[in-house]
Amino acid sequence: MMPSKEKIFESLLQLMSLELIRPVDLEIDWSDQETIHAFVNQAERSGVASWCFYRLLQNPENKSAHPELMARLKQRYLAVLIDNQQKLKLFREIEKILASHDIPVALLKGMAMAFTVYPEEALRPMGDLDILVPEHLVLKARDVLLSAGCQSVHIPMSEWHEQHNAHIRAMRLPPHKYLIEIHSKLYATGSRLQPAQMAWEQSVVHRSTAFGNFPVLDYSLMVYHLASHLYYGYMMGGVRLGWLVDIAMVFEKAGDVAVLMEALLKINPGFNKELLITVGWATRLMRVEKRQQLEKWESSFTDFPEIKDFLEQQDAEVRHRWIVLKNLWRTPGINNKVKGAFYQLFPSREYMAHYYGVNGGKGLWKAYLKRLGEGRMG
């Protein structure tokens, strides 16, 4: 009999621990094809399939003892490897284009993790290519990339939104198929998650690997970005296991994790309670010696999320709209609040032309009224 989804996930979670590398310890029948299929699919949905493959390879017995499981996971590993190598080529092109206009860049999220934290570049899948530039250069970066042949994929509600959202419009650089998101900050203006101070020189470091030099956030900001996104996702209705692995891996990579923790808690003190919750969850995946270095903060850690939080993703659209409105309310300056509110109700003509196919006249106002009638304000 095939185990339940919950049992499959429990086994996957055990395998994520940096202490464990033997599937025989997971109490699952690895000779059953349906079980293997369910396990690999859950690993894929959780963003950890190639990491599972790597972890199991650390014990040579696994390859011969569980050939079908290893073959299925290897397929995922190779797919991520090819995908990430193509994204690296795209990043180097974007980096070169922006550097020719004196715009520095730093990698965020998936690519930063894949190429500077995990031991191999195929162990961390990613979706979009997320790149950070200095806030005062973000619109210049947009215009430079559009002039270089990038195509707009998603249009923001207004130029005001492009300046105050965490990132500008999503773009694509043909012939590459991947989306590019250029960030000016970690979170939107007004978000309680956005650090008050983030000087470029103190935030970005350069790490050298076999694939070259990579500008990335320092470890404390990297953990902050991961942990705050994880908590945001949890509040939106779900938790992604891969993000917990990311946090554990940064702590594994860092030398003195107590020093890292002290630096993390200085970034945005108003969000420390939530940071301690998410880091506490990630300690379940860390090695014992790393957990021991975090005992000072153990009293602030909370219970691990329920398995259903990993398996069931709730509709977050309504919650997201409320967060957009809260961010707008917290945006500094009356003028900014008025502009932001206006464009939430009446987006730019470029936005309306892209999404509604109208660019002026009565059709534009009809489209505005239709949006308002549907309650679409974000």
Side-chain angles (χ1 to χ4, degrees):
M1 180 178 177
M2 192 176 81
S4 66
K5 291 190 299 182
E6 289 75 16
K7 181 63 176 178
I8 291 286
F9 186 83
E10 286 176 0
S11 300
L12 180 62
L13 183 59
Q14 290 178 56
L15 187 57
M16 292 301 95
S17 169
L18 294 175
E19 302 286 358
L20 179 66
I21 56 173
R22 297 195 309 157
V24 293
D25 294 330
L26 303 181
E27 300 179 359
I28 279 185
D29 180 9
W30 296 107
S31 64
D32 181 69
Q33 295 296 310
E34 289 188 12
T35 298
I36 291 174
H37 179 77
F39 180 87
V40 173
N41 281 354
Q42 183 59 59
E44 178 79 3
R45 288 193 298 272
S46 300
V48 295
S50 54
W51 179 239
C52 283
F53 177 68
Y54 176 85
R55 291 285 295 137
L56 292 171
L57 277 181
Q58 305 313 298
N59 185 336
E61 296 177 4
N62 292 329
K63 193 171 182 180
S64 57
H66 308 284
E68 181 63 25
L69 171 65
M70 297 300 287
R72 292 288 304 278
L73 289 172
K74 184 177 181 179
Q75 290 177 351
R76 301 295 201 274
Y77 171 91
L78 293 174
V80 174
L81 176 64
I82 294 169
D83 201 55
N84 284 3
Q85 288 175 343
Q86 292 302 310
K87 284 178 178 146
L88 176 59
K89 290 180 182 178
L90 172 60
F91 168 66
R92 293 306 186 197
E93 287 187 43
I94 298 297
E95 183 183 39
K96 184 177 180 179
I97 292 169
L98 294 179
S100 69
H101 292 268
D102 299 317
I103 302 174
V105 300
L107 283 169
L108 297 174
K109 301 181 184 178
M111 180 162 278
M113 295 297 300
F115 285 93
T116 70
V117 174
Y118 284 82
E120 295 179 11
E121 78 276 21
L123 305 181
R124 197 339 182 137
M126 67 188 88
D128 305 335
L129 175 59
D130 294 282
I131 298 173
L132 181 71
V133 303
E135 187 170 358
H136 69 285
L137 295 175
V138 70
L139 294 184
K140 179 182 177 182
R142 175 200 64 188
D143 295 340
V144 165
L145 291 174
L146 289 174
S147 297
C150 281
Q151 300 170 348
S152 298
V153 178
H154 301 299
I155 303 297
M157 300 181 80
S158 69
E159 185 150 308
W160 183 93
H161 283 83
E162 270 192 301
Q163 290 178 298
H164 291 276
N165 288 347
H167 57 80
I168 57 173
R169 66 190 62 199
M171 292 180 278
R172 188 176 286 120
L173 179 63
H176 299 281
K177 62 182 180 178
Y178 308 108
L179 288 184
I180 306 159
E181 290 193 343
I182 304 296
H183 294 246
S184 61
K185 53 185 80 71
L186 300 186
Y187 293 97
T189 303
S191 170
R192 64 184 292 258
L193 304 183
Q194 174 61 20
Q197 301 292 330
M198 242 188 81
W200 186 267
E201 293 76 12
Q202 284 75 50
S203 303
V204 177
V205 298
H206 290 261
R207 303 200 185 278
S208 295
T209 74
F211 297 94
N213 183 276
F214 293 92
V216 295
L217 297 177
D218 72 17
Y219 284 146
S220 61
L221 275 168
M222 190 178 281
V223 172
Y224 178 84
H225 201 201
L226 293 167
S228 53
H229 264 286
L230 177 64
Y231 191 82
Y232 178 85
Y234 175 67
M235 296 305 295
M236 289 294 101
V239 184
R240 185 171 172 83
L241 179 58
W243 287 68
L244 279 177
V245 177
D246 285 348
I247 295 170
M249 286 301 299
V250 179
F251 275 90
E252 182 71 16
K253 191 81 171 177
D256 190 326
V257 299
V259 171
L260 171 57
M261 196 69 174
E262 295 281 3
L264 172 65
L265 297 177
K266 291 177 182 177
I267 293 172
N268 185 5
F271 197 67
N272 281 353
K273 178 181 177 182
E274 292 86 349
L275 289 175
L276 287 165
I277 289 172
T278 51
V279 171
W281 295 342
T283 59
R284 177 168 175 172
L285 309 182
M286 298 179 193
R287 290 185 296 116
V288 172
E289 54 264 45
K290 294 292 183 178
R291 293 200 299 269
Q292 290 173 341
Q293 294 179 51
L294 296 173
E295 287 180 352
K296 175 181 176 180
W297 297 277
E298 197 172 31
S299 62
S300 298
F301 298 161
T302 63
D303 292 338
F304 199 75
E306 296 181 32
I307 290 179
K308 67 178 180 63
D309 293 323
F310 292 92
L311 299 178
E312 301 172 5
Q313 298 294 320
Q314 300 178 23
D315 184 1
E317 184 176 354
V318 174
R319 296 181 192 181
H320 174 72
R321 289 180 183 178
W322 274 111
I323 288 176
V324 168
L325 293 175
K326 286 180 180 179
N327 291 347
L328 179 58
W329 178 252
R330 294 192 187 106
T331 299
I334 295 297
N335 189 44
N336 272 328
K337 288 182 174 64
V338 171
K339 280 187 176 181
F342 177 83
Y343 287 120
Q344 287 293 130
L345 297 172
F346 305 105
S348 69
R349 290 193 175 198
E350 184 184 15
Y351 176 93
M352 298 301 289
H354 185 83
Y355 291 105
Y356 291 87
V358 294
N359 196 28
K362 292 182 179 179
L364 176 62
W365 287 102
K366 286 181 179 178
Y368 281 144
L369 292 173
K370 180 180 178 181
R371 286 185 76 255
L372 294 174
E374 295 172 347
R376 300 188 63 181
M377 296 180 287

